[in-house]
Every structure is written in C-alpha cells, then in structure tokens.
Amino acid sequence: MNLADSKKKLALAGLGCGLVAACLAFFGNPANMAFCIACFVRDMAGSLGMHQAEAVQYARPEIVGLVCGSFLIAVVTKEYRSVAGSSPLIRFVLGMIIMIGSLVFLGCPLRMVIRMSAGDLNAWVALIGFILGVATGAFALKQGFSLGRSHETNAASGAVLPAILAGILILAVCTALLKASEAGPGSMHAPILLSLAGGLIFGALAQKSRMCFAGSIRDVILMKNFDLLTVILGLFAVMLVYNVALGKFTLGFDTPGVIAHSEFLWNILGMYAVGFAAVLAGGCPLRQLILAGQGSSDAAITVLGLFFGAALCHNLGLAASGTALNPETKELVAGAVPVNGKVACVICILVCFVIAFTNKRKVRK
Amino acid sequence: MKEIDARGLSCPEPLMMTAEALENADGPVKVLVSEAHQKTNVEKYAKDHGKKATTTEKGSEFEIVIE
C-alpha cells in the first residue's frame, strides 16, 4: 500500500485525516484545536506534571495513537527501521524551538491550517511567517545544511517512544496518578477510545502519505513539487466544509472562542521560528511523531524536545494568551504574547540561524 | 556510473542530491537510500523527469539506478 505515489491518493489521505479531525472536534475536542500537535503535546506534558498550568493538563490519546499508529503500520508494511545518531541534541533544541514558536502563535502548523479553515485571519497572517521560515530553511538546505547521517540501531531502540506513550495512556486510564484539567481546554476532549482510534487512523494515514506541513511548502520552494501540498489542501477542504456546515466559520480577527491573539508581528515571528526549525529538523511536529513511530530515535528526541519546550513555555511564562470574553463583564479581553515569550521567540530564531549555517553536509569520498 | 550515497540523511537531502547528480551526469546515476519513503521519492522524481528507475533491495536499504 502506498498513498504517496499519486496526487489523487494523497488528496484522499488528506480528506481522511480531515474527517478524523472534524470528527474529534464534533465529539468534544476544543473545536479549532481538533488535532493540534503542539497543544496536545503541551497537554500531555501537563498531565505528567512537567508544568503546572491547570487548564492544559490531559494525557491526549491522540498523541499516543499517532505514534503507535505509525509504528504499527510501519511494522506491518515492513517500513519500520530503528535508526539513530543524526545530531540528536541539535534535534532536541529544534524540538524546543518548534514548541516555543508554536505557543507564541498558539498552535502548530496543523492547527494553523485548522484555524485558517475556520476563518481566523490571524492564522492567515501567521502563514506568511511560516512560509518565510520554511523558505529560510530551504535556503540553508541549498547551502548544504545537513544534520548528518543516522545509522541502524537495535530494533528495540525505535520502539521505546511508542512504548512510553502507550504506558502513559495506560497510567492515565487505570490510575489517578496523572493530572487532568477540570476546566479549560484540557478538560475538553472526545471519548478516550474515539480519540485513540482517531489517532491510530490519522497516524497510519500520515505515515503512508508522508504528510508534512513544513515539507509541503519546502517541496514547492525547492523542487516545484506540489504532492505534499495536496494532502494539506485535502485536510483544509474537509475542515472548511465542517466549519461552514456547523456554523463555526467566522471570518475575522479576535474571534472569542478561538484560542488566538491578534499580535500580528508575533504571530508571524512565532510561525517563522516553527517553519525554520521544522525544515532543519526534517519535518513538522506531526511528521516528527510519525517518524518517531516508524523507528527514528532522532525524531523521538525531537519529540522529547517538544515536551521540554512545552514545560518551559508554561513554567517560565512564554506562552501567549488567547482573546476571550470576560464572563462577568462581557468585555473582550485581547490575548497577548508576554515579554518573556517575545524574548524567547527572538532567541529561538537566532539559534535557528546558528544551527542552519554551522552544520554542513560532508561529502563521502 | 556516478554514485550518490544518501543513506541515513533526512528529507529532502536524498532528493536534492539526486536532482543535482542528474543535472551534472551524462550517463546513469546510482542512488543509495535507506528509508522506503526516500526510495519512493527518488523513483517518482526520476519518472517525473522522463527517466527509468530500477530499484533493488540491499538488506534493509535500497539501490536505485536511474537512466
């Protein structure tokens, strides 16, 4: 089975993933988050007590499903390869940067597309930053950027992250050890089995279609290849229909209920950091989870970087706040990026430049 | 035959190296990759550019000859 060899199959995979996201939103996930990788990894970090933001703590079965879905389909279709050794700590830092940039904007590239499909113009503004970030990464690649080769390792090594995540889910279901929000976005979720099934299906489809938000734009810039973009357009189309059909489409900035802010510069710079770091790491947050599932310990390290970045964001007050209605006064309180978050975002972009231009591909003689 | 060793490299490096080699080579090009998705990408790139790609599995890796 190969979903990546024709545009039609790629579009179908995108439609399938869109249906999963729409379904999960319908059954209880925060509407315009649906399946945000950054938000859900942040919630998982919260459930483990890595940060203390009470509104965003929940062991999201979707994340477990994504990685395990990719793992299972890779094993079945003989694409599982346990590899490691391509600049792991640089990848860890890139994972941190992706998370910090995402939480300055308030969403990963997947959520950016979901927000775009709901008419949130702030997400369209952020898309400019994302494209510029990807383009900067693509420029570095043209200059010979590389994090070096990975090598095969013991087969068990690649199964560690899927096993850890499955363990977290078991702890969440069978014990009261993990934290779970009682209010806020962390308390909003589809039934566990549905979330897990959605994650498994999404993970398998993403593994087979090579879905990647950073890769889609990178391939257009570098290769004039629109294949991966087809998957994203499929997902966008389904979410657009879902939002319009259910009256959830509101064109505008500052829409209450959409967890977002209207600080244009920081929406752009946040996603610039995400796009840049994702190209350097070889894929967006979703793609990192999928690669980790199919056996890459390097991608697994990037995922750990996402967890670490999420903890930093909430422990050090880097994450932005969303525009919301004050329930008592009925006034609109504008969301904002805190000063700490702005400083962190600028540092992240600088670090991306350092990584991009100090790591060159070595030619084998 | 010109040989490109892209084993273990992250996307899109194998494809960029293939594209560069095809631009500069007169004859066939042999590309070594380690991941299945990279194999598909290289085969598809060859096909899209009017070339024939023949793949052989070498253990857990792939050897693609483009001509």
Side-chain angles (χ1 to χ4, degrees):
Chain A
M1 183 181 66
N2 189 349
L3 293 178
D5 57 357
S6 84
K7 278 211 177 72
K8 203 187 277 174
K9 284 193 214 165
L10 285 166
L12 280 176
L15 290 174
C17 287
L19 280 176
V20 171
C23 205
L24 291 175
F26 185 79
F27 283 103
N29 279 6
N32 50 74
M33 259 178 221
F35 216 125
C36 171
I37 309 299
C39 311
F40 284 8
V41 167
R42 184 261 330 267
D43 290 353
M44 278 199 102
S47 78
L48 296 170
M50 291 172 74
H51 67 70
Q52 308 303 323
E54 286 180 356
V56 284
Q57 296 173 326
Y58 178 57
R60 295 273 178 191
E62 288 87 348
I63 298 293
V64 182
L66 276 176
V67 176
C68 293
S70 162
F71 173 74
L72 293 173
I73 196 99
V75 169
V76 171
T77 57
K78 299 194 168 53
E79 288 192 357
Y80 175 80
R81 278 184 93 243
S82 179
V83 295
S86 166
S87 310
L89 265 176
I90 294 180
R91 291 180 187 273
F92 183 84
V93 171
L94 290 171
M96 278 170 60
I97 293 174
I98 289 172
M99 182 56 84
I100 294 170
S102 292
L103 292 183
V104 163
F105 159 66
L106 289 174
C108 70
L110 172 55
R111 182 170 187 237
M112 178 181 73
V113 172
I114 292 174
R115 277 172 54 180
M116 284 161 62
S117 75
D120 176 7
L121 295 176
N122 285 313
W124 287 90
V125 170
L127 177 67
I128 300 168
F130 187 63
I131 292 174
L132 290 175
V134 171
T136 316
F139 176 74
L141 278 166
K142 278 207 155 175
Q143 301 299 309
F145 169 80
S146 175
L147 287 179
R149 292 174 199 272
S150 61
H151 302 277
E152 264 195 284
T153 56
N154 292 342
S157 172
V160 172
L161 190 73
I164 290 178
L165 290 174
I168 291 176
L169 185 62
I170 292 169
L171 283 180
V173 174
C174 303
T175 72
L177 190 65
L178 303 189
K179 295 170 189 280
S181 301
E182 284 168 10
S187 68
M188 299 164 73
H189 54 82
I192 290 177
L193 277 179
L194 199 67
S195 294
L196 181 63
L200 287 166
I201 295 169
F202 202 122
L205 285 172
Q207 200 276 337
K208 283 291 136 201
S209 66
R210 332 296 189 202
M211 177 186 282
C212 177
F213 289 80
S216 63
I217 295 169
R218 178 201 67 203
D219 285 0
V220 171
I221 295 173
L222 277 179
M223 304 275 175
K224 314 264 178 300
N225 180 318
F226 292 79
D227 287 2
L228 285 178
L229 198 61
T230 321
V231 195
I232 312 297
L233 290 176
L235 190 141
F236 174 80
V238 175
M239 287 309 290
L240 183 65
V241 170
Y242 168 80
N243 284 317
V244 172
L246 269 71
K248 291 178 188 294
F249 183 90
T250 317
L251 197 66
F253 296 100
D254 285 329
T255 312
V258 178
I259 300 167
H261 62 80
S262 296
E263 295 196 356
F264 298 153
L265 176 66
W266 297 100
N267 279 328
I268 290 176
L269 290 180
M271 275 328 251
Y272 179 84
V274 175
F276 195 172
V279 169
L280 298 182
C284 69
L286 169 69
R287 184 77 183 139
Q288 298 298 333
L289 290 173
I290 300 302
L291 288 173
Q294 64 184 57
S296 166
S297 292
D298 293 322
I301 296 284
T302 315
V303 172
L304 295 184
L306 293 174
F307 274 87
F308 190 80
L312 280 187
C313 278
H314 288 285
N315 288 337
L316 304 180
L318 313 181
S321 58
T323 300
L325 269 185
N326 183 325
E328 284 163 18
T329 59
K330 301 288 173 208
E331 273 175 53
L332 201 62
V333 183
V337 181
V339 176
N340 291 359
K342 292 175 182 173
V343 174
C345 186
V346 171
I347 293 173
C348 284
I349 292 172
L350 291 176
V351 172
C352 278
F353 273 101
V354 173
I355 293 174
F357 297 103
T358 50
N359 290 279
K360 296 282 180 198
R361 190 185 307 138
K362 291 182 187 71
V363 181
R364 257 185 205 174
K365 294 277 177 337
Chain B
M1 191 183 327
K2 191 164 185 179
E3 187 174 301
I4 300 296
D5 185 359
R7 289 176 297 176
L9 292 174
S10 299
C11 283
E13 290 173 58
L15 209 51
M16 291 175 71
M17 290 162 78
T18 306
E20 197 184 309
L22 284 176
E23 257 177 41
N24 302 326
D26 299 327
V29 173
K30 186 197 281 182
V31 185
L32 304 173
V33 296
S34 37
E35 300 285 341
H37 61 265
Q38 296 171 344
K39 179 201 72 159
T40 318
N41 286 346
V42 171
E43 285 171 346
K44 205 166 166 298
Y45 183 88
K47 205 176 130 202
D48 289 348
H49 289 76
K51 310 250 182 197
K52 193 176 142 238
T54 319
T55 305
T56 25
E57 274 191 62
K58 300 267 168 180
S60 67
E61 297 170 336
F62 303 94
E63 183 185 291
I64 308 149
V65 176
I66 304 171
E67 49 200 336

